[in-house]
Amino acid sequence: MSSFDPVAATMLASSFFARPTALVARELLGCVLARRVGGVLTAGVIVETEAYLGADDAGSHAATKGITARNRVMHGPPGRAYVYLTYGAHHMLNLVTEEEGAAGAVLVRAIEPVAGLEAMSRRRGGRTGPELTNGPGKLAAALGIDLTCNGAPLGGDLAVYAGDHVPDPCVE
DNA sequence: TGGATGATCGCA
DNA sequence: GCGATCATCCAG
């Protein structure tokens, strides 16, 4: 019963991502990231995100003066997946934010698996536990995210849903 | 703590 | 065309 139900959940529309990156990153916390591959549904609650504004963030790939093939997706329309391979062995799942023309993306650093645990564990080489998706590269591998998902629009095999009850954010 | 590993960026 | 960098993960 702990399984995630995409039918009852509300999928986040592109308008949700067409907002300030920092805000989207914060709002994404608690949301459910769902991935469907070969009819197998895997999903996890986003527990940690990192906002990458782009031009102002030196760590972002968009820190360069112009738009490169890699940052291209960042500058594109929101509500799309930006998959990036780093260290030659790990994929990073980013969600493009801001409206088209503005660079922005949110890196999903960690999620808590709620559905398709077996599939995730299987992809992780039989590993289990919180370490399944306790890291950027881990969650991408667990969800089966690869470079083929780069630039893929959300709503298909990859989508983000709002939790049944989003906790009231305490203003700090 | 350090190594592995693939792709990308900037410059000549 | 070459060298350097990268938002990490795993093993001992």
Side-chain angles (χ1 to χ4, degrees), chain A residues 37-141:
Chain A
V37 178
V40 179
L41 177 66
T42 51
V45 179
I46 300 175
V47 294
E48 189 160 351
T49 60
E50 184 166 344
Y52 280 90
L53 301 188
D56 288 338
D57 199 328
S60 174
H61 290 162
T64 60
K65 287 185 177 183
I67 301 176
T68 63
R70 190 195 279 179
N71 295 338
R72 199 164 188 156
V73 181
M74 263 181 159
H75 287 258
R80 278 166 60 156
Y82 171 44
V83 181
Y84 163 76
L85 179 65
T86 185
Y87 284 87
H90 301 289
H91 301 85
M92 312 265 156
L93 176 60
N94 302 255
L95 302 179
V96 180
T97 61
E98 304 271 353
E99 295 188 17
E100 185 173 355
V106 176
L107 168 63
V108 182
R109 292 190 76 149
I111 67 174
E112 185 178 352
V114 295
L117 300 181
E118 287 187 33
M120 291 189 197
S121 179
R122 191 165 189 177
R123 283 177 192 176
R124 291 265 58 215
R127 286 216 171 191
T128 58
E131 297 181 3
L132 256 180
T133 55
N134 201 19
K138 294 179 185 178
L139 73 90

